[in-house]
Amino acid sequence: MLDKIIYKNLFSKAFDITIEVAYWDGQIERYGTGIPAVKVRLNKEICSYVNKWHIFF
Protein backbone atom coordinates (compact mmCIF):
# COMPACT_ATOMS: atom_id res chain seq x y z
CA MET A 1 0.00 0.00 0.00
CA LEU A 2 2.99 2.28 0.47
CA ASP A 3 3.43 2.14 -3.30
CA LYS A 4 0.15 3.97 -3.93
CA ILE A 5 1.02 6.67 -1.41
CA ILE A 6 4.31 7.30 -3.20
CA TYR A 7 2.64 7.39 -6.62
CA LYS A 8 -0.19 9.65 -5.43
CA ASN A 9 2.27 12.16 -3.98
CA LEU A 10 4.40 12.06 -7.11
CA PHE A 11 1.61 12.42 -9.66
CA SER A 12 -0.36 15.03 -7.73
CA LYS A 13 2.60 17.44 -7.52
CA ALA A 14 4.93 16.67 -10.41
CA PHE A 15 2.90 17.93 -13.37
CA ASP A 16 0.92 20.99 -14.42
CA ILE A 17 -1.26 18.89 -16.72
CA THR A 18 -4.05 16.44 -15.94
CA ILE A 19 -2.91 12.84 -15.62
CA GLU A 20 -4.99 9.68 -15.35
CA VAL A 21 -3.35 6.73 -13.60
CA ALA A 22 -4.64 3.15 -13.72
CA TYR A 23 -3.22 1.16 -10.82
CA TRP A 24 -2.47 -2.58 -10.78
CA ASP A 25 -5.61 -3.30 -8.74
CA GLY A 26 -7.97 -1.63 -11.23
CA GLN A 27 -8.33 1.67 -9.37
CA ILE A 28 -8.19 4.74 -11.61
CA GLU A 29 -7.17 8.15 -10.25
CA ARG A 30 -7.16 11.50 -12.00
CA TYR A 31 -4.67 14.19 -10.94
CA GLY A 32 -5.52 17.70 -12.06
CA THR A 33 -8.68 19.06 -13.64
CA GLY A 34 -10.06 18.62 -17.11
CA ILE A 35 -9.39 15.98 -19.73
CA PRO A 36 -6.23 13.94 -19.09
CA ALA A 37 -3.33 14.85 -21.36
CA VAL A 38 -1.50 11.68 -20.30
CA LYS A 39 -2.72 8.25 -19.21
CA VAL A 40 -0.38 6.04 -17.19
CA ARG A 41 -0.93 2.34 -16.50
CA LEU A 42 0.98 0.73 -13.63
CA ASN A 43 0.92 -3.05 -13.94
CA LYS A 44 2.81 -3.98 -10.77
CA GLU A 45 3.64 -2.55 -7.37
CA ILE A 46 7.13 -1.26 -6.62
CA CYS A 47 7.52 -4.00 -4.02
CA SER A 48 7.14 -6.64 -6.74
CA TYR A 49 10.32 -5.38 -8.37
CA VAL A 50 12.18 -4.86 -5.11
CA ASN A 51 11.50 -8.41 -3.95
CA LYS A 52 12.33 -9.87 -7.34
CA TRP A 53 15.82 -8.38 -7.55
CA HIS A 54 16.50 -8.23 -3.80
CA ILE A 55 17.14 -4.50 -3.82
CA PHE A 56 17.23 -2.99 -0.36
CA PHE A 57 16.82 0.66 0.58
Side-chain angles (χ1 to χ4, degrees), residues 46-56:
I46 295 172
C47 292
S48 298
Y49 295 108
V50 172
N51 291 335
K52 181 178 178 181
W53 291 309
H54 305 289
I55 299 171
F56 301 101

Side-chain angles (χ1 to χ4, degrees), residues 9-56:
N9 283 326
L10 174 70
F11 289 126
S12 67
K13 297 174 182 155
F15 303 99
D16 292 333
I17 58 173
T18 301
I19 297 174
E20 184 176 283
V21 180
Y23 290 99
W24 53 89
D25 62 359
Q27 180 182 1
I28 297 174
E29 292 277 341
R30 206 177 260 186
Y31 302 97
T33 57
I35 299 171
V38 175
K39 292 184 179 185
V40 177
R41 181 182 171 108
L42 302 171
N43 293 321
K44 292 187 178 183
E45 303 173 65
I46 295 172
C47 292
S48 298
Y49 295 108
V50 172
N51 291 335
K52 181 178 178 181
W53 291 309
H54 305 289
I55 299 171
F56 301 101

